[in-house]
Amino acid sequence: MVAINIDRFVKRYGALEVVHDISFDIEEGEFLVLVGPSGCGKSTILRMVAGLEEISGGELRMQGVRVNELSPKERQVAMVFQDYALYPHMSVEQNIGFSLELARVPKAEREAQVKRVADILQIGHLLERRPRELSGGQRQRVAIGRAMVRKPQLFLFDEPLSNLDAKLRAEMRGQIKRLHQTLKTTSMYVTHDQLEAMTLADRIICLFDGHIAQMGTPHDLFDRPANVFVAEFIGSPTMNIVPITASKAEGRTVLTLAGGGEVSLPDGTALPSLTNDGNVLAGIRPEHLSDTPTPGATARIEGVIDMLEPLGSDILVTMQVGGATLTARCTDKGQFQAGQNLTLHFDPARLHLFDSKTQMRLG
Amino acid sequence: MRRLNPAAILMLVPTHLLLLVVIALPSIYVFWLSLNESTYGSDLTFVGLDNYVTVLTSSYFWRAALNTLIVVNAVVYIELLIAIGMAALFLGGVRYPKIMFAIVLMPYAISEVVGVLVWKIMLNSGSGVLARTIESLGFGMFNWSVSPPLALSVVTLISIWHHLPFTFLLIYAGMLAIPKSLYEAARIDGATPWQEFWRITLPLTIPAILISLIFRFVFAFRLFSEVWLLTAGGPARLTEVLAVYLYQSGFKYGEFGTASATGWLMVIGSLGVASIYLWAMHRRMLKGND
Ligand SMILES: Nc1ncnc2c1ncn2[C@@H]1O[C@H](COP(=O)(O)OP(=O)(O)OP(=O)(O)O)[C@@H](O)[C@H]1O
Ligand SMILES: [Mg+2]
C-alpha cells in the first residue's frame, strides 16, 4: 500500500529553483533513502515533507489525502535532525516527553511512554541528565527516542549519523535498521553516504542537482546504474569510467581506449547497440577487476602499475593503460610492485556502457 | 595553578595601573574623605562614622533612596519586559529589518543631555507638543513639574527610552544564539508559536536576561542627568534620587564628607543588588542550566 505520494515537487527560493519536478511514492512500512552529493536538495525535499519548508509546487499526499497545508504536527511526522536539536534546558525525560506534554497526555501515561521508548533504546539510566551531559551516541538515541515516542505515521531522518565517528556510526546504523525491522514505521532517510544508503534502504533515490538520477533497490543502483553519475556515486572505491571506441574486427568486438590501449573481449560477447559511432563510456567496478583469470571467458586489459594502496587483506592497484587510469581491488599476497606490467581480467557481463553525450546507460 | 610568565605580567601592567589610578585610588580616597569633615578651603578633620550617621538620619537621603528604589526597579523591569517583547518580535521577523533596527537603536546614539532636554521641551506644560497633545485629549494640564509622582514617571519614561536599545541588544543577541533547529523540533513536537516562546525562547534567554539585569541595575543606580535636567530634585527636594542627593551635598552645600559617605552607601547598595543576580547566575552555572 502506498503511504506517501510526492507528486511533482518543486522548490523555489525566490527565482532560484532547487528542486525540479520530483515525483515518487513511499510504500507503507518502507525504508526509503534519499542519497546524493551536498547541495542536491535532499534536505529540502525532506523538510517539504515534514512541513518545515513550504511546497512551492506539487502535492504531498499521505494515505491519499493532500496535506500541503497541514502543520508538521497535523501530518504526524517525527524527525531526527543532524545536530540532534535536543532542548538543552530539559532533561532527557522532558526532551522525549515534550510532544506528549504539549498534547496534554496525563503525567503517568507520559512517564510510562517515555520509559518504554528509553528501554528500547537503552537510555533508561540517563533520563535525569541534560543533553550536554551525554555523549554523541547517547544524544542520537535521545533524538530517536523523541521521534519514536509519538508513534508517527512517518519517520524522517536528516543525516542523523554524520556527526558520529566511524565506529559509532556503524553501530547506530545497525540500531536504526533493527528499530525499523521491529517498528515497521514508514521512513524517509537522507544521507550523502552511499554506504549508509546501501545498508539501510529498501529503496534508494539518488538525487543529482534537484533531479532524480535513479530510483530503485540498492541492487538495482549497484548492478545497473542508470547513468554515469549514479555509477560513480554508488560503490566505493568509485567505478572506473573511461572513454572507449568499440569496433568490430573479424567478427570480434574490440574496445579501444582513447590512448590506444585495447581490450579484447571474448568471443560471443553481446554488447548493447552503441551510439555515436561506438564512441561510448565504459565502466567497470574495481572489485570486478582481477589479476587472476577467473573461470569462463574473461576479457583482458594490459597496463603498468602506477600506485598501490594496501587496505589490509585487499589492495587497491592503480594502473595506467593507454592514457587512462584504472583502479582494481585485488587480494593482497604481496605480488604487486609499482612499475610492473599487469594484466587485469574481468567478466564482460560486469561491463557498463554509457552514452558519451547523454551519459545515460546503454542496454 | 599555572605560573604567569613575566612577559604576561608586563603586558597586564598598563591596564592594572590605569584601573588603580582611575578607580582604586579615588575610591580609597573617597572612603577616607567619608570619615572626615571637609569643605571648601578647610583641612580635613577626622570624625569617624559621623558622616554616615548624618546621611542615614537625613530624611532627604531616605526620600532619595526611596525614589531611587522605585524608579530603578520600574525602569529596569519595564525596560526588560519591553526589550524581551521587541526581541521576540524581531526574532519572528519584521518588515524592513535593517531600518527597524536602526530606529530601535537610535536613542542610544543620542547624547543623554540632549535627549532629556528634547523630552523636557516636548513635555513642557502648555507649549510642548506632547504636553499639549495630552491636554487636548482632555486629561487636563500636564503639569508634571509640580507633581513628584508624575515627574518621577517622566524620569522613568525617559530613562527607559534611552537605555532600551542596550537591553534590547543583549536580549536579542541571546535569542539569536538559540539554534533554529530547536524551533523546528518544537514545531514537529506540536508546539504553537506561543508555546515555542514560553518553552524554548524564554528559558534559553535567561542567561542573557540575568546579565542585562546586572548591567542595568548598576547603571540605573547612577541615575542622575534625567532628574537633574528635568526637576533638579524639586519641588522641595521631593524628586531627588541618590546621585542628585550626593551632588547636592557635595557641590551645593559643600559637604564633601557626607557626599563621600553617600557615594559609598550607593556602591554598597548596587553591589548588593548585583550580587543577588550574580549569585543566581552562578547557581545556574553550577546546575549546568545554561
Ligand atoms: N534558504 C535558502 N535560500 C536559498 N537557497 C537555499 C536555501 N536553502 C537551501 N538552498 C539551496 O538549495 C539547494 C539544496 O539544499 P539542501 O539543503 O536541500 O541540500 P542537501 O542535499 O541537503 O545538502 P547537504 O548534503 O549539504 O545537506 C542548495 O543548493 C542550497 O544552496
Ligand atoms: Mg542537508
PDB file of all heavy atoms in Angstrom, chain A residues 37-44 47 82 158-159 190 192, ligand 2:
ATOM      1  N   PRO A  37      24.991  14.025  -3.527  1.00  0.00           N
ATOM      2  CA  PRO A  37      26.058  14.884  -3.022  1.00  0.00           C
ATOM      3  C   PRO A  37      25.503  16.118  -2.320  1.00  0.00           C
ATOM      4  O   PRO A  37      24.307  16.402  -2.398  1.00  0.00           O
ATOM      5  CB  PRO A  37      26.824  15.276  -4.292  1.00  0.00           C
ATOM      6  CG  PRO A  37      25.836  15.123  -5.389  1.00  0.00           C
ATOM      7  CD  PRO A  37      24.888  14.047  -4.985  1.00  0.00           C
ATOM      8  N   SER A  38      26.368  16.824  -1.641  1.00  0.00           N
ATOM      9  CA  SER A  38      25.966  18.014  -0.901  1.00  0.00           C
ATOM     10  C   SER A  38      25.306  19.036  -1.832  1.00  0.00           C
ATOM     11  O   SER A  38      25.793  19.275  -2.923  1.00  0.00           O
ATOM     12  CB  SER A  38      27.200  18.626  -0.245  1.00  0.00           C
ATOM     13  OG  SER A  38      26.814  19.688   0.562  1.00  0.00           O
ATOM     14  N   GLY A  39      24.192  19.581  -1.397  1.00  0.00           N
ATOM     15  CA  GLY A  39      23.529  20.638  -2.152  1.00  0.00           C
ATOM     16  C   GLY A  39      22.588  20.146  -3.230  1.00  0.00           C
ATOM     17  O   GLY A  39      22.061  20.937  -4.002  1.00  0.00           O
ATOM     18  N   CYS A  40      22.323  18.837  -3.284  1.00  0.00           N
ATOM     19  CA  CYS A  40      21.479  18.331  -4.368  1.00  0.00           C
ATOM     20  C   CYS A  40      19.990  18.461  -4.033  1.00  0.00           C
ATOM     21  O   CYS A  40      19.140  18.211  -4.885  1.00  0.00           O
ATOM     22  CB  CYS A  40      21.810  16.882  -4.676  1.00  0.00           C
ATOM     23  SG  CYS A  40      21.386  15.759  -3.346  1.00  0.00           S
ATOM     24  N   GLY A  41      19.662  18.845  -2.806  1.00  0.00           N
ATOM     25  CA  GLY A  41      18.261  19.082  -2.470  1.00  0.00           C
ATOM     26  C   GLY A  41      17.625  18.024  -1.589  1.00  0.00           C
ATOM     27  O   GLY A  41      16.411  18.023  -1.402  1.00  0.00           O
ATOM     28  N   LYS A  42      18.417  17.137  -1.014  1.00  0.00           N
ATOM     29  CA  LYS A  42      17.870  16.070  -0.158  1.00  0.00           C
ATOM     30  C   LYS A  42      17.126  16.636   1.039  1.00  0.00           C
ATOM     31  O   LYS A  42      15.965  16.294   1.288  1.00  0.00           O
ATOM     32  CB  LYS A  42      19.003  15.176   0.386  1.00  0.00           C
ATOM     33  CG  LYS A  42      19.999  14.713  -0.633  1.00  0.00           C
ATOM     34  CD  LYS A  42      21.090  13.883   0.023  1.00  0.00           C
ATOM     35  CE  LYS A  42      22.055  14.662   0.895  1.00  0.00           C
ATOM     36  NZ  LYS A  42      22.979  15.530   0.171  1.00  0.00           N
ATOM     37  N   SER A  43      17.830  17.502   1.787  1.00  0.00           N
ATOM     38  CA  SER A  43      17.205  18.055   2.995  1.00  0.00           C
ATOM     39  C   SER A  43      15.965  18.841   2.633  1.00  0.00           C
ATOM     40  O   SER A  43      14.959  18.790   3.336  1.00  0.00           O
ATOM     41  CB  SER A  43      18.178  18.972   3.726  1.00  0.00           C
ATOM     42  OG  SER A  43      19.306  18.263   4.131  1.00  0.00           O
ATOM     43  N   THR A  44      16.052  19.577   1.541  1.00  0.00           N
ATOM     44  CA  THR A  44      14.923  20.396   1.131  1.00  0.00           C
ATOM     45  C   THR A  44      13.685  19.527   0.915  1.00  0.00           C
ATOM     46  O   THR A  44      12.602  19.850   1.405  1.00  0.00           O
ATOM     47  CB  THR A  44      15.271  21.165  -0.151  1.00  0.00           C
ATOM     48  OG1 THR A  44      16.473  21.894   0.078  1.00  0.00           O
ATOM     49  CG2 THR A  44      14.163  22.116  -0.540  1.00  0.00           C
ATOM     50  N   ARG A  47      12.401  18.269   4.224  1.00  0.00           N
ATOM     51  CA  ARG A  47      11.760  19.315   5.018  1.00  0.00           C
ATOM     52  C   ARG A  47      10.419  19.742   4.414  1.00  0.00           C
ATOM     53  O   ARG A  47       9.530  20.198   5.121  1.00  0.00           O
ATOM     54  CB  ARG A  47      12.712  20.504   5.157  1.00  0.00           C
ATOM     55  CG  ARG A  47      13.955  20.141   5.978  1.00  0.00           C
ATOM     56  CD  ARG A  47      15.073  21.135   5.788  1.00  0.00           C
ATOM     57  NE  ARG A  47      14.610  22.474   6.053  1.00  0.00           N
ATOM     58  CZ  ARG A  47      14.499  22.975   7.276  1.00  0.00           C
ATOM     59  NH1 ARG A  47      14.869  22.268   8.305  1.00  0.00           N
ATOM     60  NH2 ARG A  47      14.035  24.186   7.455  1.00  0.00           N
ATOM     61  N   GLN A  82      20.131  16.379  12.100  1.00  0.00           N
ATOM     62  CA  GLN A  82      21.573  16.124  12.030  1.00  0.00           C
ATOM     63  C   GLN A  82      22.291  16.569  13.307  1.00  0.00           C
ATOM     64  O   GLN A  82      23.128  15.870  13.824  1.00  0.00           O
ATOM     65  CB  GLN A  82      22.159  16.865  10.823  1.00  0.00           C
ATOM     66  CG  GLN A  82      23.663  16.740  10.746  1.00  0.00           C
ATOM     67  CD  GLN A  82      24.208  17.281   9.452  1.00  0.00           C
ATOM     68  OE1 GLN A  82      23.467  17.743   8.594  1.00  0.00           O
ATOM     69  NE2 GLN A  82      25.502  17.214   9.287  1.00  0.00           N
ATOM     70  N   ASP A 158      17.335  13.304   8.896  1.00  0.00           N
ATOM     71  CA  ASP A 158      18.221  14.133   8.065  1.00  0.00           C
ATOM     72  C   ASP A 158      19.666  13.917   8.508  1.00  0.00           C
ATOM     73  O   ASP A 158      20.107  14.504   9.486  1.00  0.00           O
ATOM     74  CB  ASP A 158      17.841  15.616   8.172  1.00  0.00           C
ATOM     75  CG  ASP A 158      18.522  16.446   7.094  1.00  0.00           C
ATOM     76  OD1 ASP A 158      19.360  15.875   6.349  1.00  0.00           O
ATOM     77  OD2 ASP A 158      18.235  17.640   6.998  1.00  0.00           O
ATOM     78  N   GLU A 159      20.373  13.087   7.809  1.00  0.00           N
ATOM     79  CA  GLU A 159      21.773  12.775   8.106  1.00  0.00           C
ATOM     80  C   GLU A 159      22.004  12.600   9.603  1.00  0.00           C
ATOM     81  O   GLU A 159      22.843  13.276  10.191  1.00  0.00           O
ATOM     82  CB  GLU A 159      22.683  13.896   7.579  1.00  0.00           C
ATOM     83  CG  GLU A 159      22.405  14.201   6.125  1.00  0.00           C
ATOM     84  CD  GLU A 159      23.637  14.684   5.384  1.00  0.00           C
ATOM     85  OE1 GLU A 159      24.746  14.479   5.882  1.00  0.00           O
ATOM     86  OE2 GLU A 159      23.471  15.243   4.293  1.00  0.00           O
ATOM     87  N   VAL A 190      17.703  10.697   4.844  1.00  0.00           N
ATOM     88  CA  VAL A 190      18.569  11.469   3.961  1.00  0.00           C
ATOM     89  C   VAL A 190      20.013  11.270   4.362  1.00  0.00           C
ATOM     90  O   VAL A 190      20.343  11.322   5.543  1.00  0.00           O
ATOM     91  CB  VAL A 190      18.199  12.965   4.046  1.00  0.00           C
ATOM     92  CG1 VAL A 190      19.354  13.826   3.573  1.00  0.00           C
ATOM     93  CG2 VAL A 190      16.971  13.259   3.222  1.00  0.00           C
ATOM     94  N   HIS A 192      24.359  11.597   2.653  1.00  0.00           N
ATOM     95  CA  HIS A 192      25.212  11.732   1.472  1.00  0.00           C
ATOM     96  C   HIS A 192      26.187  10.560   1.420  1.00  0.00           C
ATOM     97  O   HIS A 192      27.058  10.497   0.564  1.00  0.00           O
ATOM     98  CB  HIS A 192      25.967  13.056   1.498  1.00  0.00           C
ATOM     99  CG  HIS A 192      26.884  13.194   2.664  1.00  0.00           C
ATOM    100  ND1 HIS A 192      26.556  13.921   3.780  1.00  0.00           N
ATOM    101  CD2 HIS A 192      28.090  12.661   2.910  1.00  0.00           C
ATOM    102  CE1 HIS A 192      27.533  13.836   4.655  1.00  0.00           C
ATOM    103  NE2 HIS A 192      28.481  13.070   4.163  1.00  0.00           N
TER     104      HIS A 192
HETATM  105 MG    MG C   2      21.138  18.519   4.067  1.00  0.00          MG
END
